[in-house]
Amino acid sequence: MTDIVIAPSILSADFGQLDAQIKAVEVAGADWIHVDVMDGVFVPNITIGPLVVRAARKATALPLDVHLMIVHPEQHLAAFAEAGANYLTVHAEACIHLHRTLQQIRDLGVGAGVSFNPATPLHALEPVIDLVDLVLIMSVNPGFGGQQFIPSALPRIRAVRDMIRASGRPIRLEVDGGINPQTARAVIEAGADTLVAGNAVYGTSDYRAAIHAIRTAAQ
Ligand code: DX5
Ligand code: ZN
């Protein structure tokens, strides 16, 4: 089985000490750093832009997994790639020309991801599966950390796992929202291999123990 990737989300970190907070999860065993970009339009919250991605890039050598919860992502891809993103994930709901936008990400030389909100049908994935390196299934409605896992994500993860298998391509299957040791086990069993965890890591006082607990539950 593929190695499990655990990506702490800095959404739940202390932004006043971002550099130290990123280094702390790196030392504690994180595989990737998940960066939540929100515009107050696609989701009801506003977070960060390319400047903060650049700061995160300086803090760590780990892959930066940048989750764009914004409208018109195509207008900002180059800035995020230049800032040091390793993966750029756009929402299918935010892309009128999803195929073109994913191609644009590939042309920038970074990993291309597509994400689906909990209520979005998955049929847009099939025509673009040859363009993606990552599929992100939301297990909460995006906008905030610390929300409860939505169980109807599980059959959707299974469906995407089947599509990835049929494609024969090395696509990561990531799940984001409400991940903790209990839900981690369920999503891994459903076929996920990449887990975002905000509150379950940054909401604790021992990041190493928190990441270890998720990894152990997932294996
Ligand atoms: C939600 C974000 C998530 C968030 C997850 O809109 O996309 O990445 O940080 O936080 P938790 O793990 O606390 O649900
Ligand atoms: Zn996210």
Side-chain angles (χ1 to χ4, degrees), residues 47-131:
T47 56
I48 62 166
L51 276 176
V52 175
V53 172
R54 190 175 297 279
R57 179 71 293 157
K58 285 192 192 142
T60 182
L62 293 180
L64 295 181
D65 173 33
V66 177
H67 178 192
L68 298 174
M69 287 159 276
I70 62 176
V71 298
H72 297 303
E74 69 284 353
Q75 297 176 7
H76 304 282
L77 297 172
F80 281 105
E82 278 159 27
N86 297 91
Y87 286 89
L88 286 172
T89 296
V90 294
H91 268 263
E93 305 87 357
C95 296
I96 296 172
H97 299 289
L98 180 61
H99 189 282
R100 176 186 285 150
T101 302
L102 291 168
Q103 187 63 57
Q104 222 182 313
I105 299 174
R106 297 187 77 82
D107 291 347
L108 288 164
V110 301
V114 62
S115 182
F116 295 87
N117 282 336
T120 303
L122 298 167
H123 53 239
L125 179 57
E126 202 235 309
V128 296
I129 200 152
D130 288 341
L131 292 175

Side-chain angles (χ1 to χ4, degrees), residues 107-159:
D107 291 347
L108 288 164
V110 301
V114 62
S115 182
F116 295 87
N117 282 336
T120 303
L122 298 167
H123 53 239
L125 179 57
E126 202 235 309
V128 296
I129 200 152
D130 288 341
L131 292 175
V132 300
D133 302 295
L134 181 151
V135 178
L136 172 54
I137 294 297
M138 292 307 302
S139 42
V140 297
N141 289 296
F144 304 95
Q147 302 183 81
Q148 242 201 333
F149 182 83
I150 298 172
S152 60
L154 292 171
R156 290 160 59 75
I157 295 163
R158 281 185 216 109

Side-chain angles (χ1 to χ4, degrees), residues 18-30 59 202 207-208 211:
L18 190 57
D19 182 81
Q21 291 266 278
I22 290 173
K23 289 186 166 82
V25 292
E26 176 169 5
V27 169
Y202 278 112
Y207 302 159
R208 176 175 295 278
I211 292 170

